[in-house]
Amino acid sequence: MQNEAGENVDLYVPRKCSWTSRLISAKDHGSVQLNVGNIDPVTGLFTGESTAYALAGYIRNKSEGDMALTALAIANDAKLATSEE
């Protein structure tokens, strides 16, 4: 919820899983949020920016967290490469 000034006044804003788009509840203690740094494809250096990925405990419990994070990072790399051209 926002006030008249446009500021967020909610005490809790739920996250969504980056892989399944499910809401991550406050009691999901198996969920993680990872910040993966963006790399310049030409120089191979860190650009100072990062992309946040949230993975639900459901995905980690099924042992698919590494596959999901890899697929999300590859998709982000492809999106960044096309936006630079």
Side-chain angles (χ1 to χ4, degrees):
M1 186 163 87
Q2 295 179 348
N3 60 9
E4 289 98 16
E7 299 171 346
N8 198 3
V9 293
D10 289 333
L11 295 177
Y12 172 71
V13 178
R15 296 177 294 161
K16 285 181 78 171
C17 178
S18 300
W19 185 245
T20 62
S21 298
R22 291 181 176 197
L23 284 178
I24 299 175
S25 68
K27 296 294 182 180
D28 187 357
H29 297 294
S31 64
V32 293
Q33 181 169 341
L34 302 168
N35 291 327
V36 178
N38 295 337
I39 305 296
D40 185 6
V42 176
T43 62
L45 298 175
F46 176 60
T47 62
E49 299 175 351
S50 62
T51 304
Y53 299 108
L55 295 177
Y58 168 77
I59 295 298
R60 297 185 65 219
N61 189 33
K62 289 177 50 178
S63 300
E64 295 181 0
D66 56 344
M67 185 259 321
L69 184 62
T70 302
L72 288 167
I74 290 171
N76 186 45
D77 287 345
K79 183 173 40 170
L80 288 175
T82 57
S83 67
E84 290 178 356
E85 293 176 356

